Amino acid sequence: MARRKRHGRCFAAVLLTIGAPAWERAKADDRPVTRVATIPIPSASIFIAVDGSAERLVGMHPLSRSAIEEGVLGRMFPNARVINSSIAAGGADGFMPNVETLAMLDPDVVVQWGDRGDDIVAPLRNAGMHTALMRYGTEQFARDSLTLMGEIAGKPDKARALIAWREAVATEIAAKAAAMPDKRRLKVVYLQRASTGLVVAGANTYSDYYIRLVGGVNAAAELSGALAINAEQLAQWDPDVILLNGFEEQLTPRRIYDDPLLSGAKAAMERRVYKMPIGGYRWDPPSHENPLAWMWLAQLLYPDLFRYDLRKEIEESYQIVYGYRPSLSDIDSVLRLSVNGDARGYDRFTAVTPTPGHAP
């Protein structure tokens, strides 16, 4: 099947090379995996994407549920909205497993963080539950998580195709960005928290990875990890672009524009404050939709260099990953046009001419 020629890396061209997926994977006791519970926040959405269904997911973290409800995944898979989200105790940000609830759900496998200590793993082990551990925060860990979900779902080919898509897009973007002169590189700050206080992503964070991938300079690179800063520090960096996290649902660029100090920063003065999109999952942390996030950011920073038809990329990749053709309003929602629409350069993501036969 020939791909029509256009700028950018089409996911379809990658995924059409895979073989027929296996639907189930046998565990050590030879029973198929039919019931899965996921505690790490992104793992519910990643599993649904790899599996192409929410039918086998029986439990998730409450923040996984909020991402499904806020984004378009809940529209694609309405039954995902009613999956039990009380399997992790200790508050919305806690990862201590609620073993009593999990026992009631009787999962074949529970996915848990593998890099946050044994305290949150031991209760699962002691209860005799099959547990798969995932790590998080780097591009390699993101690929490993896809591999893990492919093994659990019995769909390793789907996972490999998603990884191949990442590799293709990252390679293409990195090649273009590498040729960019230093004087053109924009200073970017990603705010991991901004509603109350400011937390910035410094070096050795995933945000630092993709800011550098597309040719930007992380203005917070003098720091390591995610750290709290004050407004004075952010104003001193005077970034060209500010990215707002997708986790704080009520956060909008007004937070920056209305701040007495931050409103004088170059990013605010030039209306280059953007809230990260949310599709099948939030685009800012590692997930299966990161290639779309990289295209989005590359085009925002350097529209003359990166000319993706991002709306078409979303439409095509969603049909393949999820078996769902997003409507124009779905894509508007993914790109947060209602929040970002008046920001500089964001009109390039507005639908100009509806695709024939496309749902409004």
Side-chain angles (χ1 to χ4, degrees):
M1 179 178 179
R3 175 172 68 93
R4 60 183 174 280
K5 191 174 182 180
R6 72 169 193 279
H7 182 84
R9 172 64 59 181
C10 178
F11 185 26
V14 175
L15 206 58
L16 285 174
T17 65
I18 71 172
W23 282 91
E24 296 173 335
R25 169 182 176 268
K27 297 191 310 184
D29 56 7
D30 293 326
R31 288 190 303 144
V33 173
T34 60
R35 300 176 66 80
V36 178
T38 59
I39 296 176
I41 299 170
S43 55
S45 295
I46 296 173
F47 180 78
I48 291 172
V50 172
D51 197 33
S53 167
E55 294 297 327
R56 290 195 277 177
L57 192 62
V58 298
M60 68 176 77
H61 192 277
L63 285 181
S64 301
R65 174 85 163 266
S66 70
I68 288 170
E69 293 175 340
E70 183 186 355
V72 296
L73 200 64
R75 301 177 207 167
M76 294 188 276
F77 303 97
N79 55 336
R81 292 174 170 268
V82 297
I83 294 171
N84 191 303
S85 61
S86 60
I87 65 170
D93 291 317
F95 302 105
M96 183 61 67
N98 186 329
V99 175
E100 182 177 336
T101 299
L102 283 166
M104 178 188 68
L105 294 172
D106 190 28
D108 296 310
V109 61
V110 180
V111 181
Q112 177 61 296
W113 292 118
D115 54 3
R116 302 193 180 207
D118 192 56
D119 287 350
I120 61 174
V121 179
L124 299 169
R125 183 174 61 245
N126 294 339
M129 296 183 181
H130 293 271
T131 306
L133 303 180
M134 65 178 282
R135 295 180 294 174
Y136 197 64
T138 69
E139 176 58 17
Q140 185 57 55
F141 289 164
R143 298 182 185 198
D144 292 344
S145 295
L146 286 166
T147 299
L148 175 64
M149 293 303 175
E151 292 177 356
I152 293 172
K155 299 186 178 180
D157 287 341
K158 178 74 170 288
R160 283 193 288 268
L162 287 164
I163 293 169
W165 182 38
R166 303 179 79 89
E167 179 65 27
V169 175
T171 299
E172 179 179 80
I173 289 176
K176 288 181 177 293
M180 190 186 308
D182 288 345
K183 64 182 181 181
R184 280 206 62 195
R185 298 179 184 273
L186 300 177
K187 290 192 300 180
V188 183
V189 163
Y190 169 78
L191 293 178
Q192 189 166 316
R193 289 290 182 271
S195 290
T196 56
L198 299 171
V199 175
V200 70
N204 304 312
T205 62
Y206 195 69
S207 300
D208 179 71
Y209 164 75
Y210 56 73
I211 288 171
R212 290 184 293 104
L213 173 68
V214 304
V217 174
N218 184 359
E222 65 191 57
L223 307 176
S224 182
L227 294 174
I229 62 168
N230 54 36
E232 288 76 11
Q233 176 65 78
L234 183 55
Q236 182 179 351
W237 285 331
D238 195 27
D240 299 293
V241 174
I242 294 176
L243 303 176
L244 302 179
N245 72 80
F247 288 88
E248 296 174 296
E249 190 172 349
Q250 303 305 316
L251 178 64
T252 73
R254 299 285 353 149
R255 163 69 177 90
I256 305 299
Y257 297 145
D258 293 342
D259 186 281
L261 185 59
L262 298 180
S263 59
K266 185 176 181 180
M269 297 287 287
E270 296 187 357
R271 309 290 293 185
R272 301 194 77 174
V273 180
Y274 310 98
K275 182 160 181 154
M276 297 291 295
I278 179 171
Y281 189 65
R282 301 174 179 99
W283 281 12
D284 26 345
S287 83
H288 53 289
E289 288 194 17
N290 290 137
L292 296 172
W294 305 335
M295 296 180 206
W296 173 81
L297 184 58
Q299 201 165 6
L300 275 181
L301 267 55
Y302 310 108
D304 60 324
L305 186 60
F306 298 100
R307 298 177 181 176
Y308 296 105
D309 184 347
L310 188 59
R311 295 183 70 96
K312 195 66 176 177
E313 297 283 355
I314 293 171
E315 181 182 356
E316 291 186 350
S317 62
Y318 277 26
Q319 289 181 75
I320 295 169
V321 176
Y322 304 112
Y324 176 85
R325 188 183 189 189
S327 67
L328 299 181
S329 60
D330 284 334
I331 298 174
D332 288 348
S333 176
V334 169
L335 295 171
R336 297 192 194 268
L337 281 179
S338 63
V339 173
N340 293 327
D342 62 349
R344 177 178 168 182
Y346 220 76
D347 56 346
R348 65 176 52 90
F349 300 130
T350 303
V352 178
T353 304
T355 302
H358 204 303

